[in-house]
PDB file of all heavy atoms in Angstrom:
ATOM      1  N   ASN A   1      -3.243  -4.466 -14.733  1.00 95.00           N
ATOM      2  CA  ASN A   1      -2.085  -4.564 -15.649  1.00 95.00           C
ATOM      3  C   ASN A   1      -2.448  -5.329 -16.927  1.00 95.00           C
ATOM      4  O   ASN A   1      -2.135  -4.909 -18.024  1.00 95.00           O
ATOM      5  CB  ASN A   1      -0.914  -5.321 -14.945  1.00 95.00           C
ATOM      6  CG  ASN A   1       0.403  -5.055 -15.607  1.00 95.00           C
ATOM      7  OD1 ASN A   1       0.532  -5.263 -16.827  1.00 95.00           O
ATOM      8  ND2 ASN A   1       1.407  -4.671 -14.835  1.00 95.00           N
ATOM      9  N   ASP A   2      -3.158  -6.418 -16.778  1.00 96.00           N
ATOM     10  CA  ASP A   2      -3.584  -7.198 -17.935  1.00 96.00           C
ATOM     11  C   ASP A   2      -4.559  -6.434 -18.836  1.00 96.00           C
ATOM     12  O   ASP A   2      -4.542  -6.542 -20.055  1.00 96.00           O
ATOM     13  CB  ASP A   2      -4.194  -8.556 -17.534  1.00 96.00           C
ATOM     14  CG  ASP A   2      -3.150  -9.466 -16.904  1.00 96.00           C
ATOM     15  OD1 ASP A   2      -1.953  -9.272 -17.116  1.00 96.00           O
ATOM     16  OD2 ASP A   2      -3.534 -10.412 -16.222  1.00 96.00           O
ATOM     17  N   ALA A   3      -5.495  -5.722 -18.178  1.00 96.00           N
ATOM     18  CA  ALA A   3      -6.592  -5.113 -18.927  1.00 96.00           C
ATOM     19  C   ALA A   3      -6.169  -3.785 -19.646  1.00 96.00           C
ATOM     20  O   ALA A   3      -6.582  -3.596 -20.775  1.00 96.00           O
ATOM     21  CB  ALA A   3      -7.770  -4.816 -17.979  1.00 96.00           C
ATOM     22  N   VAL A   4      -5.400  -2.961 -18.967  1.00 94.00           N
ATOM     23  CA  VAL A   4      -5.107  -1.617 -19.553  1.00 94.00           C
ATOM     24  C   VAL A   4      -3.613  -1.298 -19.517  1.00 94.00           C
ATOM     25  O   VAL A   4      -3.218  -0.192 -19.796  1.00 94.00           O
ATOM     26  CB  VAL A   4      -5.918  -0.530 -18.853  1.00 94.00           C
ATOM     27  CG1 VAL A   4      -7.398  -0.707 -19.120  1.00 94.00           C
ATOM     28  CG2 VAL A   4      -5.634  -0.501 -17.353  1.00 94.00           C
ATOM     29  N   ASP A   5      -2.772  -2.242 -19.116  1.00 92.00           N
ATOM     30  CA  ASP A   5      -1.315  -2.065 -19.126  1.00 92.00           C
ATOM     31  C   ASP A   5      -0.891  -0.879 -18.237  1.00 92.00           C
ATOM     32  O   ASP A   5      -0.020  -0.076 -18.614  1.00 92.00           O
ATOM     33  CB  ASP A   5      -0.802  -1.873 -20.545  1.00 92.00           C
ATOM     34  CG  ASP A   5       0.729  -1.968 -20.653  1.00 92.00           C
ATOM     35  OD1 ASP A   5       1.301  -2.704 -19.813  1.00 92.00           O
ATOM     36  OD2 ASP A   5       1.330  -1.327 -21.550  1.00 92.00           O
ATOM     37  N   VAL A   6      -1.513  -0.786 -17.078  1.00 93.00           N
ATOM     38  CA  VAL A   6      -1.085   0.204 -16.053  1.00 93.00           C
ATOM     39  C   VAL A   6      -0.638  -0.614 -14.818  1.00 93.00           C
ATOM     40  O   VAL A   6      -1.364  -1.449 -14.314  1.00 93.00           O
ATOM     41  CB  VAL A   6      -2.190   1.150 -15.693  1.00 93.00           C
ATOM     42  CG1 VAL A   6      -1.826   2.037 -14.512  1.00 93.00           C
ATOM     43  CG2 VAL A   6      -2.615   2.001 -16.900  1.00 93.00           C
ATOM     44  N   ASP A   7       0.580  -0.325 -14.357  1.00 94.00           N
ATOM     45  CA  ASP A   7       1.199  -1.120 -13.313  1.00 94.00           C
ATOM     46  C   ASP A   7       1.034  -0.349 -11.977  1.00 94.00           C
ATOM     47  O   ASP A   7       1.415   0.797 -11.863  1.00 94.00           O
ATOM     48  CB  ASP A   7       2.692  -1.284 -13.641  1.00 94.00           C
ATOM     49  CG  ASP A   7       3.368  -2.289 -12.735  1.00 94.00           C
ATOM     50  OD1 ASP A   7       2.651  -3.110 -12.129  1.00 94.00           O
ATOM     51  OD2 ASP A   7       4.620  -2.209 -12.568  1.00 94.00           O
ATOM     52  N   LEU A   8       0.465  -1.010 -11.001  1.00 96.00           N
ATOM     53  CA  LEU A   8       0.127  -0.419  -9.678  1.00 96.00           C
ATOM     54  C   LEU A   8       0.885  -1.074  -8.574  1.00 96.00           C
ATOM     55  O   LEU A   8       1.346  -2.211  -8.656  1.00 96.00           O
ATOM     56  CB  LEU A   8      -1.363  -0.535  -9.427  1.00 96.00           C
ATOM     57  CG  LEU A   8      -2.337   0.111 -10.426  1.00 96.00           C
ATOM     58  CD1 LEU A   8      -3.752  -0.372 -10.121  1.00 96.00           C
ATOM     59  CD2 LEU A   8      -2.226   1.626 -10.382  1.00 96.00           C
ATOM     60  N   LYS A   9       0.996  -0.321  -7.442  1.00 97.00           N
ATOM     61  CA  LYS A   9       1.342  -0.881  -6.153  1.00 97.00           C
ATOM     62  C   LYS A   9       0.391  -0.339  -5.145  1.00 97.00           C
ATOM     63  O   LYS A   9      -0.346   0.612  -5.425  1.00 97.00           O
ATOM     64  CB  LYS A   9       2.799  -0.494  -5.804  1.00 97.00           C
ATOM     65  CG  LYS A   9       3.077   0.992  -5.781  1.00 97.00           C
ATOM     66  CD  LYS A   9       4.540   1.237  -5.474  1.00 97.00           C
ATOM     67  CE  LYS A   9       4.914   2.721  -5.659  1.00 97.00           C
ATOM     68  NZ  LYS A   9       4.872   3.151  -7.059  1.00 97.00           N
ATOM     69  N   VAL A  10       0.329  -0.934  -3.950  1.00 98.00           N
ATOM     70  CA  VAL A  10      -0.709  -0.557  -2.997  1.00 98.00           C
ATOM     71  C   VAL A  10      -0.182  -0.736  -1.593  1.00 98.00           C
ATOM     72  O   VAL A  10       0.466  -1.751  -1.238  1.00 98.00           O
ATOM     73  CB  VAL A  10      -2.024  -1.352  -3.208  1.00 98.00           C
ATOM     74  CG1 VAL A  10      -1.832  -2.831  -3.004  1.00 98.00           C
ATOM     75  CG2 VAL A  10      -3.131  -0.797  -2.335  1.00 98.00           C
ATOM     76  N   GLY A  11      -0.490   0.249  -0.722  1.00 98.00           N
ATOM     77  CA  GLY A  11      -0.303   0.139   0.691  1.00 98.00           C
ATOM     78  C   GLY A  11      -1.656   0.084   1.372  1.00 98.00           C
ATOM     79  O   GLY A  11      -2.581   0.740   0.965  1.00 98.00           O
ATOM     80  N   VAL A  12      -1.764  -0.737   2.425  1.00 98.00           N
ATOM     81  CA  VAL A  12      -3.053  -1.003   3.071  1.00 98.00           C
ATOM     82  C   VAL A  12      -2.933  -0.754   4.549  1.00 98.00           C
ATOM     83  O   VAL A  12      -1.950  -1.188   5.191  1.00 98.00           O
ATOM     84  CB  VAL A  12      -3.484  -2.472   2.821  1.00 98.00           C
ATOM     85  CG1 VAL A  12      -4.904  -2.652   3.420  1.00 98.00           C
ATOM     86  CG2 VAL A  12      -3.453  -2.809   1.339  1.00 98.00           C
ATOM     87  N   GLY A  13      -3.907  -0.031   5.107  1.00 97.00           N
ATOM     88  CA  GLY A  13      -3.968   0.174   6.546  1.00 97.00           C
ATOM     89  C   GLY A  13      -5.342  -0.177   7.067  1.00 97.00           C
ATOM     90  O   GLY A  13      -6.322  -0.084   6.310  1.00 97.00           O
ATOM     91  N   GLN A  14      -5.410  -0.498   8.339  1.00 96.00           N
ATOM     92  CA  GLN A  14      -6.708  -0.878   8.937  1.00 96.00           C
ATOM     93  C   GLN A  14      -6.771  -0.306  10.351  1.00 96.00           C
ATOM     94  O   GLN A  14      -5.826  -0.409  11.098  1.00 96.00           O
ATOM     95  CB  GLN A  14      -6.874  -2.405   8.968  1.00 96.00           C
ATOM     96  CG  GLN A  14      -8.330  -2.833   9.230  1.00 96.00           C
ATOM     97  CD  GLN A  14      -8.600  -4.245   8.689  1.00 96.00           C
ATOM     98  OE1 GLN A  14      -7.915  -4.698   7.755  1.00 96.00           O
ATOM     99  NE2 GLN A  14      -9.672  -4.856   9.188  1.00 96.00           N
ATOM    100  N   SER A  15      -7.895   0.328  10.663  1.00 96.00           N
ATOM    101  CA  SER A  15      -8.088   0.946  12.012  1.00 96.00           C
ATOM    102  C   SER A  15      -9.550   1.177  12.288  1.00 96.00           C
ATOM    103  O   SER A  15     -10.382   0.756  11.506  1.00 96.00           O
ATOM    104  CB  SER A  15      -7.323   2.292  11.989  1.00 96.00           C
ATOM    105  OG  SER A  15      -7.369   2.865  13.299  1.00 96.00           O
ATOM    106  N   GLY A  16      -9.814   1.845  13.365  1.00 96.00           N
ATOM    107  CA  GLY A  16     -11.245   2.123  13.727  1.00 96.00           C
ATOM    108  C   GLY A  16     -11.793   3.278  13.018  1.00 96.00           C
ATOM    109  O   GLY A  16     -13.042   3.404  12.955  1.00 96.00           O
ATOM    110  N   VAL A  17     -10.975   4.165  12.441  1.00 97.00           N
ATOM    111  CA  VAL A  17     -11.438   5.323  11.707  1.00 97.00           C
ATOM    112  C   VAL A  17     -10.666   5.466  10.418  1.00 97.00           C
ATOM    113  O   VAL A  17      -9.547   4.932  10.267  1.00 97.00           O
ATOM    114  CB  VAL A  17     -11.307   6.631  12.529  1.00 97.00           C
ATOM    115  CG1 VAL A  17     -12.227   6.607  13.739  1.00 97.00           C
ATOM    116  CG2 VAL A  17      -9.888   6.861  12.971  1.00 97.00           C
ATOM    117  N   ALA A  18     -11.243   6.195   9.451  1.00 97.00           N
ATOM    118  CA  ALA A  18     -10.644   6.260   8.136  1.00 97.00           C
ATOM    119  C   ALA A  18      -9.275   6.915   8.100  1.00 97.00           C
ATOM    120  O   ALA A  18      -8.352   6.465   7.434  1.00 97.00           O
ATOM    121  CB  ALA A  18     -11.599   6.973   7.160  1.00 97.00           C
ATOM    122  N   GLN A  19      -9.113   8.012   8.859  1.00 96.00           N
ATOM    123  CA  GLN A  19      -7.854   8.733   8.800  1.00 96.00           C
ATOM    124  C   GLN A  19      -6.682   7.902   9.313  1.00 96.00           C
ATOM    125  O   GLN A  19      -5.588   7.911   8.719  1.00 96.00           O
ATOM    126  CB  GLN A  19      -7.949  10.067   9.535  1.00 96.00           C
ATOM    127  CG  GLN A  19      -8.670  11.128   8.742  1.00 96.00           C
ATOM    128  CD  GLN A  19      -8.434  12.541   9.276  1.00 96.00           C
ATOM    129  OE1 GLN A  19      -7.403  12.831   9.846  1.00 96.00           O
ATOM    130  NE2 GLN A  19      -9.411  13.379   9.082  1.00 96.00           N
ATOM    131  N   ALA A  20      -6.853   7.179  10.412  1.00 96.00           N
ATOM    132  CA  ALA A  20      -5.805   6.345  10.921  1.00 96.00           C
ATOM    133  C   ALA A  20      -5.496   5.208   9.947  1.00 96.00           C
ATOM    134  O   ALA A  20      -4.318   4.907   9.712  1.00 96.00           O
ATOM    135  CB  ALA A  20      -6.226   5.788  12.267  1.00 96.00           C
ATOM    136  N   ALA A  21      -6.528   4.598   9.373  1.00 97.00           N
ATOM    137  CA  ALA A  21      -6.300   3.559   8.400  1.00 97.00           C
ATOM    138  C   ALA A  21      -5.598   4.107   7.181  1.00 97.00           C
ATOM    139  O   ALA A  21      -4.687   3.500   6.601  1.00 97.00           O
ATOM    140  CB  ALA A  21      -7.648   2.908   7.992  1.00 97.00           C
ATOM    141  N   GLY A  22      -5.975   5.356   6.778  1.00 97.00           N
ATOM    142  CA  GLY A  22      -5.347   5.962   5.602  1.00 97.00           C
ATOM    143  C   GLY A  22      -3.919   6.274   5.834  1.00 97.00           C
ATOM    144  O   GLY A  22      -3.090   6.123   4.918  1.00 97.00           O
ATOM    145  N   MET A  23      -3.529   6.730   7.027  1.00 96.00           N
ATOM    146  CA  MET A  23      -2.143   7.027   7.318  1.00 96.00           C
ATOM    147  C   MET A  23      -1.319   5.708   7.338  1.00 96.00           C
ATOM    148  O   MET A  23      -0.169   5.711   6.872  1.00 96.00           O
ATOM    149  CB  MET A  23      -2.010   7.747   8.658  1.00 96.00           C
ATOM    150  CG  MET A  23      -2.406   9.195   8.602  1.00 96.00           C
ATOM    151  SD  MET A  23      -1.543  10.154   7.312  1.00 96.00           S
ATOM    152  CE  MET A  23       0.174   9.948   7.814  1.00 96.00           C
ATOM    153  N   GLY A  24      -1.948   4.666   7.851  1.00 97.00           N
ATOM    154  CA  GLY A  24      -1.240   3.367   7.794  1.00 97.00           C
ATOM    155  C   GLY A  24      -1.004   2.972   6.343  1.00 97.00           C
ATOM    156  O   GLY A  24       0.075   2.446   6.013  1.00 97.00           O
ATOM    157  N   ALA A  25      -2.019   3.212   5.494  1.00 97.00           N
ATOM    158  CA  ALA A  25      -1.858   2.862   4.065  1.00 97.00           C
ATOM    159  C   ALA A  25      -0.727   3.675   3.433  1.00 97.00           C
ATOM    160  O   ALA A  25       0.034   3.169   2.600  1.00 97.00           O
ATOM    161  CB  ALA A  25      -3.166   3.061   3.351  1.00 97.00           C
ATOM    162  N   LYS A  26      -0.649   4.957   3.760  1.00 97.00           N
ATOM    163  CA  LYS A  26       0.415   5.803   3.215  1.00 97.00           C
ATOM    164  C   LYS A  26       1.812   5.292   3.627  1.00 97.00           C
ATOM    165  O   LYS A  26       2.709   5.220   2.782  1.00 97.00           O
ATOM    166  CB  LYS A  26       0.233   7.240   3.682  1.00 97.00           C
ATOM    167  CG  LYS A  26      -0.830   8.053   2.960  1.00 97.00           C
ATOM    168  CD  LYS A  26      -0.962   9.435   3.539  1.00 97.00           C
ATOM    169  CE  LYS A  26      -1.945  10.284   2.699  1.00 97.00           C
ATOM    170  NZ  LYS A  26      -1.331  10.682   1.434  1.00 97.00           N
ATOM    171  N   HIS A  27       1.938   4.929   4.847  1.00 96.00           N
ATOM    172  CA  HIS A  27       3.259   4.399   5.324  1.00 96.00           C
ATOM    173  C   HIS A  27       3.586   3.077   4.666  1.00 96.00           C
ATOM    174  O   HIS A  27       4.718   2.807   4.270  1.00 96.00           O
ATOM    175  CB  HIS A  27       3.249   4.269   6.847  1.00 96.00           C
ATOM    176  CG  HIS A  27       3.367   5.564   7.588  1.00 96.00           C
ATOM    177  ND1 HIS A  27       4.454   6.411   7.496  1.00 96.00           N
ATOM    178  CD2 HIS A  27       2.468   6.210   8.420  1.00 96.00           C
ATOM    179  CE1 HIS A  27       4.232   7.485   8.261  1.00 96.00           C
ATOM    180  NE2 HIS A  27       3.032   7.357   8.772  1.00 96.00           N
ATOM    181  N   ALA A  28       2.561   2.255   4.482  1.00 97.00           N
ATOM    182  CA  ALA A  28       2.747   0.945   3.791  1.00 97.00           C
ATOM    183  C   ALA A  28       3.131   1.173   2.345  1.00 97.00           C
ATOM    184  O   ALA A  28       3.969   0.444   1.778  1.00 97.00           O
ATOM    185  CB  ALA A  28       1.486   0.110   3.852  1.00 97.00           C
ATOM    186  N   LEU A  29       2.538   2.176   1.711  1.00 97.00           N
ATOM    187  CA  LEU A  29       2.907   2.524   0.313  1.00 97.00           C
ATOM    188  C   LEU A  29       4.363   2.968   0.205  1.00 97.00           C
ATOM    189  O   LEU A  29       5.054   2.604  -0.753  1.00 97.00           O
ATOM    190  CB  LEU A  29       1.975   3.583  -0.220  1.00 97.00           C
ATOM    191  CG  LEU A  29       2.095   3.929  -1.738  1.00 97.00           C
ATOM    192  CD1 LEU A  29       1.832   2.687  -2.578  1.00 97.00           C
ATOM    193  CD2 LEU A  29       1.121   5.040  -2.071  1.00 97.00           C
ATOM    194  N   GLU A  30       4.859   3.708   1.224  1.00 96.00           N
ATOM    195  CA  GLU A  30       6.240   4.064   1.229  1.00 96.00           C
ATOM    196  C   GLU A  30       7.160   2.845   1.326  1.00 96.00           C
ATOM    197  O   GLU A  30       8.222   2.779   0.740  1.00 96.00           O
ATOM    198  CB  GLU A  30       6.518   5.044   2.366  1.00 96.00           C
ATOM    199  CG  GLU A  30       5.979   6.441   2.180  1.00 96.00           C
ATOM    200  CD  GLU A  30       6.518   7.079   0.905  1.00 96.00           C
ATOM    201  OE1 GLU A  30       7.759   7.117   0.750  1.00 96.00           O
ATOM    202  OE2 GLU A  30       5.688   7.529   0.091  1.00 96.00           O
ATOM    203  N   ALA A  31       6.683   1.848   2.081  1.00 96.00           N
ATOM    204  CA  ALA A  31       7.477   0.592   2.129  1.00 96.00           C
ATOM    205  C   ALA A  31       7.528  -0.083   0.775  1.00 96.00           C
ATOM    206  O   ALA A  31       8.573  -0.682   0.415  1.00 96.00           O
ATOM    207  CB  ALA A  31       6.851  -0.317   3.184  1.00 96.00           C
ATOM    208  N   CYS A  32       6.428  -0.014   0.039  1.00 96.00           N
ATOM    209  CA  CYS A  32       6.427  -0.534  -1.348  1.00 96.00           C
ATOM    210  C   CYS A  32       7.485   0.143  -2.163  1.00 96.00           C
ATOM    211  O   CYS A  32       8.269  -0.522  -2.931  1.00 96.00           O
ATOM    212  CB  CYS A  32       5.086  -0.352  -2.030  1.00 96.00           C
ATOM    213  SG  CYS A  32       3.744  -1.374  -1.483  1.00 96.00           S
ATOM    214  N   ARG A  33       7.562   1.453  -2.098  1.00 93.00           N
ATOM    215  CA  ARG A  33       8.533   2.208  -2.888  1.00 93.00           C
ATOM    216  C   ARG A  33       9.979   1.870  -2.482  1.00 93.00           C
ATOM    217  O   ARG A  33      10.865   1.720  -3.292  1.00 93.00           O
ATOM    218  CB  ARG A  33       8.257   3.702  -2.699  1.00 93.00           C
ATOM    219  CG  ARG A  33       6.958   4.147  -3.273  1.00 93.00           C
ATOM    220  CD  ARG A  33       6.823   5.698  -3.200  1.00 93.00           C
ATOM    221  NE  ARG A  33       5.563   6.144  -3.850  1.00 93.00           N
ATOM    222  CZ  ARG A  33       4.565   6.721  -3.161  1.00 93.00           C
ATOM    223  NH1 ARG A  33       4.664   6.867  -1.858  1.00 93.00           N
ATOM    224  NH2 ARG A  33       3.462   7.094  -3.817  1.00 93.00           N
ATOM    225  N   GLU A  34      10.212   1.734  -1.185  1.00 94.00           N
ATOM    226  CA  GLU A  34      11.554   1.465  -0.719  1.00 94.00           C
ATOM    227  C   GLU A  34      11.994   0.039  -0.998  1.00 94.00           C
ATOM    228  O   GLU A  34      13.180  -0.211  -1.347  1.00 94.00           O
ATOM    229  CB  GLU A  34      11.603   1.694   0.797  1.00 94.00           C
ATOM    230  CG  GLU A  34      11.429   3.177   1.186  1.00 94.00           C
ATOM    231  CD  GLU A  34      11.265   3.338   2.701  1.00 94.00           C
ATOM    232  OE1 GLU A  34      11.410   2.331   3.428  1.00 94.00           O
ATOM    233  OE2 GLU A  34      11.016   4.494   3.112  1.00 94.00           O
ATOM    234  N   ASP A  35      11.073  -0.925  -0.893  1.00 93.00           N
ATOM    235  CA  ASP A  35      11.438  -2.332  -1.006  1.00 93.00           C
ATOM    236  C   ASP A  35      11.158  -2.924  -2.367  1.00 93.00           C
ATOM    237  O   ASP A  35      11.483  -4.085  -2.620  1.00 93.00           O
ATOM    238  CB  ASP A  35      10.728  -3.131   0.060  1.00 93.00           C
ATOM    239  CG  ASP A  35      11.052  -2.695   1.476  1.00 93.00           C
ATOM    240  OD1 ASP A  35      12.167  -2.092   1.637  1.00 93.00           O
ATOM    241  OD2 ASP A  35      10.264  -2.906   2.395  1.00 93.00           O
ATOM    242  N   GLY A  36      10.469  -2.218  -3.268  1.00 94.00           N
ATOM    243  CA  GLY A  36      10.114  -2.769  -4.550  1.00 94.00           C
ATOM    244  C   GLY A  36       9.038  -3.796  -4.498  1.00 94.00           C
ATOM    245  O   GLY A  36       8.947  -4.666  -5.393  1.00 94.00           O
ATOM    246  N   THR A  37       8.196  -3.739  -3.511  1.00 96.00           N
ATOM    247  CA  THR A  37       7.087  -4.672  -3.375  1.00 96.00           C
ATOM    248  C   THR A  37       5.824  -4.131  -4.007  1.00 96.00           C
ATOM    249  O   THR A  37       5.698  -2.936  -4.220  1.00 96.00           O
ATOM    250  CB  THR A  37       6.830  -5.050  -1.893  1.00 96.00           C
ATOM    251  OG1 THR A  37       6.738  -3.797  -1.121  1.00 96.00           O
ATOM    252  CG2 THR A  37       7.958  -5.887  -1.353  1.00 96.00           C
ATOM    253  N   ALA A  38       4.899  -5.039  -4.311  1.00 96.00           N
ATOM    254  CA  ALA A  38       3.638  -4.593  -4.964  1.00 96.00           C
ATOM    255  C   ALA A  38       2.551  -4.356  -3.933  1.00 96.00           C
ATOM    256  O   ALA A  38       1.683  -3.509  -4.160  1.00 96.00           O
ATOM    257  CB  ALA A  38       3.197  -5.695  -5.940  1.00 96.00           C
ATOM    258  N   VAL A  39       2.567  -5.135  -2.823  1.00 97.00           N
ATOM    259  CA  VAL A  39       1.492  -4.971  -1.835  1.00 97.00           C
ATOM    260  C   VAL A  39       2.145  -4.966  -0.463  1.00 97.00           C
ATOM    261  O   VAL A  39       2.961  -5.831  -0.139  1.00 97.00           O
ATOM    262  CB  VAL A  39       0.550  -6.195  -1.890  1.00 97.00           C
ATOM    263  CG1 VAL A  39      -0.595  -6.008  -0.845  1.00 97.00           C
ATOM    264  CG2 VAL A  39      -0.072  -6.328  -3.271  1.00 97.00           C
ATOM    265  N   GLU A  40       1.797  -3.956   0.321  1.00 97.00           N
ATOM    266  CA  GLU A  40       2.266  -3.909   1.740  1.00 97.00           C
ATOM    267  C   GLU A  40       1.114  -3.562   2.633  1.00 97.00           C
ATOM    268  O   GLU A  40       0.329  -2.689   2.349  1.00 97.00           O
ATOM    269  CB  GLU A  40       3.374  -2.840   1.887  1.00 97.00           C
ATOM    270  CG  GLU A  40       4.712  -3.173   1.312  1.00 97.00           C
ATOM    271  CD  GLU A  40       5.601  -3.933   2.240  1.00 97.00           C
ATOM    272  OE1 GLU A  40       5.107  -4.314   3.329  1.00 97.00           O
ATOM    273  OE2 GLU A  40       6.763  -4.230   1.862  1.00 97.00           O
ATOM    274  N   PHE A  41       1.010  -4.256   3.767  1.00 97.00           N
ATOM    275  CA  PHE A  41       0.086  -3.908   4.822  1.00 97.00           C
ATOM    276  C   PHE A  41       0.833  -3.178   5.920  1.00 97.00           C
ATOM    277  O   PHE A  41       2.010  -3.462   6.172  1.00 97.00           O
ATOM    278  CB  PHE A  41      -0.561  -5.191   5.378  1.00 97.00           C
ATOM    279  CG  PHE A  41      -1.727  -5.712   4.613  1.00 97.00           C
ATOM    280  CD1 PHE A  41      -1.499  -6.405   3.420  1.00 97.00           C
ATOM    281  CD2 PHE A  41      -3.027  -5.521   5.009  1.00 97.00           C
ATOM    282  CE1 PHE A  41      -2.545  -6.918   2.655  1.00 97.00           C
ATOM    283  CE2 PHE A  41      -4.086  -6.058   4.287  1.00 97.00           C
ATOM    284  CZ  PHE A  41      -3.860  -6.716   3.098  1.00 97.00           C
ATOM    285  N   ALA A  42       0.182  -2.261   6.556  1.00 95.00           N
ATOM    286  CA  ALA A  42       0.805  -1.540   7.623  1.00 95.00           C
ATOM    287  C   ALA A  42       1.289  -2.436   8.754  1.00 95.00           C
ATOM    288  O   ALA A  42       2.245  -2.175   9.406  1.00 95.00           O
ATOM    289  CB  ALA A  42      -0.114  -0.439   8.171  1.00 95.00           C
ATOM    290  N   ASP A  43       0.567  -3.557   8.936  1.00 76.00           N
ATOM    291  CA  ASP A  43       0.923  -4.420  10.042  1.00 76.00           C
ATOM    292  C   ASP A  43       0.859  -5.881   9.655  1.00 76.00           C
ATOM    293  O   ASP A  43       0.637  -6.765  10.494  1.00 76.00           O
ATOM    294  CB  ASP A  43       0.014  -4.169  11.257  1.00 76.00           C
ATOM    295  CG  ASP A  43      -1.482  -4.295  10.890  1.00 76.00           C
ATOM    296  OD1 ASP A  43      -1.803  -4.564   9.727  1.00 76.00           O
ATOM    297  OD2 ASP A  43      -2.312  -4.119  11.818  1.00 76.00           O
ATOM    298  N   ARG A  44       0.968  -6.184   8.367  1.00 48.00           N
ATOM    299  CA  ARG A  44       0.865  -7.571   7.883  1.00 48.00           C
ATOM    300  C   ARG A  44       1.989  -7.840   6.912  1.00 48.00           C
ATOM    301  O   ARG A  44       2.602  -6.892   6.374  1.00 48.00           O
ATOM    302  CB  ARG A  44      -0.470  -7.841   7.229  1.00 48.00           C
ATOM    303  CG  ARG A  44      -1.689  -7.629   8.166  1.00 48.00           C
ATOM    304  CD  ARG A  44      -2.920  -7.966   7.451  1.00 48.00           C
ATOM    305  NE  ARG A  44      -4.109  -7.526   8.233  1.00 48.00           N
ATOM    306  CZ  ARG A  44      -5.350  -7.726   7.889  1.00 48.00           C
ATOM    307  NH1 ARG A  44      -5.636  -8.327   6.748  1.00 48.00           N
ATOM    308  NH2 ARG A  44      -6.342  -7.315   8.637  1.00 48.00           N
ATOM    309  N   PRO A  45       2.264  -9.105   6.591  1.00 42.00           N
ATOM    310  CA  PRO A  45       3.317  -9.421   5.625  1.00 42.00           C
ATOM    311  C   PRO A  45       3.071  -8.847   4.244  1.00 42.00           C
ATOM    312  O   PRO A  45       1.934  -8.709   3.827  1.00 42.00           O
ATOM    313  CB  PRO A  45       3.355 -10.973   5.588  1.00 42.00           C
ATOM    314  CG  PRO A  45       2.669 -11.373   6.858  1.00 42.00           C
ATOM    315  CD  PRO A  45       1.670 -10.320   7.152  1.00 42.00           C
TER     316      PRO A  45
END
């Protein structure tokens, strides 16, 4: 945001394989959209 004035949000997932972690990240990103948060973990605060 400071460097190029682009505002981001991020969802994060963690698992034993990439696809499961990626799906967790997608669901966490939906939580960002719904709650207006900047960072969401699939299973963390």
Side-chain angles (χ1 to χ4, degrees):
N1 197 310
D2 291 343
V4 294
D5 193 28
V6 172
D7 191 22
L8 300 168
K9 56 184 172 292
V10 62
V12 185
Q14 195 155 340
S15 185
V17 294
Q19 282 195 30
M23 285 306 300
K26 282 178 173 287
H27 287 296
L29 187 59
E30 287 303 308
C32 288
R33 294 187 177 112
E34 292 171 5
D35 300 336
T37 49
V39 181
E40 287 274 4
F41 279 75
D43 55 359
R44 301 182 190 181

